Amino acid sequence: MNDSSWGAPTGAGYWGPPDQGPTQGASPAGPAYEQHAVEETRPMPIVPEMPDVPAGGRDQDDDRGAARPSGPLFRDESPGGTQHEHPHGSRHEQPRGNSPYEQPRGAQHEPQQPTPHQTQHQTPYVTPHEAQHESRQEPMPSAAQPAPAPPKKSAGRDLGAAIGVGVGLGAVIVASLFIVKAVFIGVIAVAVVVGLWELTSRLEERKGIKAPLVPLAIGGAAMVVAGYVRGTEGAWVAMALTALAVLVWRMTEPPEGYLRDVTAGVFAAFYVPFLATFVALMLTADDGPQRVLTFLLLTVVSDTGAYAIGWRFGKHKLAPRISPGKTREGLVGAVTFAMAAGALCMQFLIDDGAWWQGLLLGLAVAASATLGDLGESMIKRDLGIKDMGTLLPGHGGIMDRLDSLLPTAPVVWLLLVIFVGAG
């Protein structure tokens, strides 16, 4: 017996198990709404698929095995139609023919055409949280990028130019020092005048301080010569006269800023020419050239040791607010190098000198040179400049080379007088 004997295909209006068909004579499930409601149809919403859970060897998604009450679940289901799975998950009812449950021909409505949004591919639903999470994800690199090389330490200056200028100045100084002492005095006087010009120019440019250059230059050169000729007494007299000349020279201008200008002038006279006069005082001894050479060598070696060790191993700042480039490791290098050089110089260059005196001398030079460098760094920071000038390539100006030499000169002169006498 085929299914037509029941008046409807298998499963029409019956949702029971497939092995138990509807009993003959039983009334099939009919529509649960009136006739006029059939015409008011709308697209069926997408019903999410239930997960596949096997039960008894059969799929629970099988419509024939799922328990369902009689009658349509949605208003747009046709009572006698068969369900077809839409490719994208929606079900559409197709009208059936030759069914005893078919509606009269006049009341039968035309099958609804699927709307465009039903036939288009349905994209998966993404929650706003998931969309935000995906937008924040960065694309993975296609290939592993090599780690950037660590930056190399820079010396901060043109090292080649600095070495060349230093060697040239050293040659001039040594030649004048051992050939004619008067020539070396002239080299000191020229350095003093240029240094005063750089200092007073920066003061006027950056602070508006007008320290009179003319009396300073004349008095500074005279101070160096007086120290070489007349000794310490001549140096002090020249210093006093230079200060007096600064006071008088400034009187020729309006009184506004007088105290400020003369104070800067007296400071400049003491800082540059008076301290440089102690080099001339060292030269007056019998072994004067050796003493001056010891003074120059120890100062240069101290600066070189501080630079080399600080550049290579420097990690702890010595005075970050004054000179960020100086480190404690550099200071240790300066002391070590200067003490070693001092022992050698006192043993082989200075008459009646001893190596242990050189150790003390080197320690004092390292301290005074460092303090002198920090002192000028304070001046330059107050003025807001990096260098005092640009006369010496790789070094800056003359004052940038005299910063450690000037305060070291009286220290070396005094210790040599104590150790071996005035000569």
Side-chain angles (χ1 to χ4, degrees), residues 210-230:
K210 300 179 180 180
L213 178 59
V214 174
L216 285 173
I218 296 174
M223 210 178 301
V224 173
V225 174
Y228 178 71
V229 175
R230 303 294 299 180

Side-chain angles (χ1 to χ4, degrees), residues 343-361:
L344 294 175
C345 290
M346 288 297 293
Q347 185 69 34
F348 299 104
L349 290 180
I350 304 301
D351 297 339
D352 301 328
W355 64 269
W356 62 269
Q357 296 171 344
L359 294 178
L360 297 177
L361 182 62

Side-chain angles (χ1 to χ4, degrees), residues 316-320 323-328 330 369-370 373-374 377 403:
H316 304 87
K317 301 297 184 182
L318 178 62
S323 182
K326 290 180 174 54
T327 61
R328 299 175 187 176
T370 302
D373 203 347
L374 291 175
S377 296
D403 53 1

